[in-house]
Amino acid sequence: MILMAYLSYVVAEVLYLSGILTVFFCGIVMSHYTWHNVTESSKITTRHTFATLSFIAETFIFLYVGMDSLDKDKWNMTNVSVATSIGICATLLAFILLGRAAFVIPLSAASNFASRGARTRITFRQQIIIWWAGLMRGAVSIALAYEKFTADSAINATMITSTILVMLFSTVVFGLLTKPLVHWLVPPHASEMETETRTLGGGSEDLNFHLLNEDESTCQQNAPTANTSLQRSSSAVHHVWRTFDDAIMRPLFGGRGFVQYLHHSNGQMQNSFASIPDRH
């Protein structure tokens, strides 16, 4: 599992593609097929291994960004005034706001146009939350700035320091205001009523199960219901994909439904052999 995820990242880097999106989609595919082909002990080992590596990598990234923010050489190398620095940061933030809105609003409109039920539509308030939650910059912005502005010059130092200021401002301000914004746009009583409505109507709350949950029994109890919900065809494209997945992909690579089918078939074969009388 580790080598497959790393291989996808290496291939993306060689082809000058996005390694983050590649690993993200690789995780989706592996959770759909690979996760159901390993034993329970391997699942436990994999879960704790990835959790440990994730914690170490996240700690290292935050330490690196924090230490780099206090690098005096880069701050001394830039020769712009405070007003110019504020103007550059404000321009970067404005482009971030516009760029995020240019992606969220059209994609949400396309999703609402394709959705059939009212419960699957993305409301305008939810679009604001999605737009706001994606405005926080982080270590990826720092890495891109270092990759683009590597030479030691005043302009490169200015761009790196401006990126650091934007990252700190967006993380602190947007991060602190995200929770109040969610409570203001989607009050707790409204979300509770929506959850009760979905529960009574058999909505999509069954999909909110954690594949890597700490409680294996809870995951196993919720998995069959979620699998039933996932198999409901909501569109023609979804139906075509489900048919192709059940007919070719799952028998070839494995999967939840195919693994359950194998267990069921093995159980029937064992019962058939057990019912044969002993004639020797």
Side-chain angles (χ1 to χ4, degrees), residues 234-252:
S234 58
S235 62
V237 178
H238 188 196
H239 176 71
V240 172
W241 162 249
R242 279 297 169 190
T243 304
F244 175 76
D245 188 25
D246 294 336
I248 298 177
M249 298 297 291
R250 288 187 178 182
L252 183 62

Side-chain angles (χ1 to χ4, degrees), residues 24-233:
F24 175 72
F25 283 101
C26 179
I28 294 177
V29 175
M30 291 181 67
S31 65
H32 189 64
Y33 300 109
T34 311
W35 185 253
H36 309 289
N37 295 319
V38 296
T39 60
E40 293 298 329
S41 60
S42 299
K43 291 181 181 180
I44 296 174
T45 304
T46 304
R47 179 173 63 242
H48 290 289
T49 300
F50 275 106
T52 304
L53 293 176
S54 175
F55 178 78
I56 295 174
E58 186 177 1
T59 304
F60 174 78
I61 290 174
F62 276 101
L63 287 175
Y64 182 81
V65 173
M67 294 174 63
D68 191 72
S69 302
L70 302 177
D71 189 2
K72 295 182 180 180
D73 295 336
K74 289 185 177 58
W75 294 97
N76 294 331
M77 190 179 299
T78 176
N79 53 5
V80 297
S81 60
V82 177
T84 304
S85 180
I86 293 176
I88 295 174
C89 294
T91 304
L92 292 176
L93 284 174
F95 279 115
I96 292 173
L97 295 171
L98 293 175
R100 181 69 178 176
F103 278 95
V104 172
I105 296 177
L107 291 177
S108 300
S111 177
N112 293 335
F113 178 78
S115 62
R116 296 181 179 179
R119 290 178 296 182
T120 59
R121 297 179 62 87
I122 304 176
T123 62
F124 182 71
R125 292 187 176 185
Q126 293 174 344
Q127 295 179 23
I128 295 177
I129 295 174
I130 297 173
W131 167 75
W132 184 270
L135 296 175
M136 290 176 284
R137 304 296 94 191
V140 177
S141 301
I142 299 294
L144 293 176
Y146 273 105
E147 183 180 2
K148 184 66 178 179
F149 308 102
T150 55
D152 292 335
S153 63
I155 298 177
N156 293 340
T158 301
M159 295 305 301
I160 292 176
T161 53
S162 300
T163 305
I164 293 175
L165 291 176
V166 169
M167 182 203 66
L168 295 177
F169 178 82
S170 62
T171 301
V172 174
V173 176
F174 295 148
L176 290 176
L177 295 179
T178 298
K179 187 175 181 179
L181 180 67
V182 172
H183 283 284
W184 178 55
L185 294 176
V186 184
H189 62 84
S191 60
E192 291 176 359
M193 292 176 59
E194 183 180 0
T195 303
E196 292 177 358
T197 303
R198 291 182 177 183
T199 303
L200 294 176
S204 59
E205 83 287 343
D206 294 332
L207 300 180
N208 298 326
F209 71 96
H210 299 280
L211 181 62
L212 302 182
N213 198 342
E214 294 294 337
D215 190 359
E216 292 290 341
S217 60
T218 305
C219 180
Q220 293 176 358
Q221 291 175 0
N222 294 333
T225 308
N227 185 45
T228 304
S229 302
L230 285 172
Q231 289 180 348
R232 296 172 183 170
S233 299

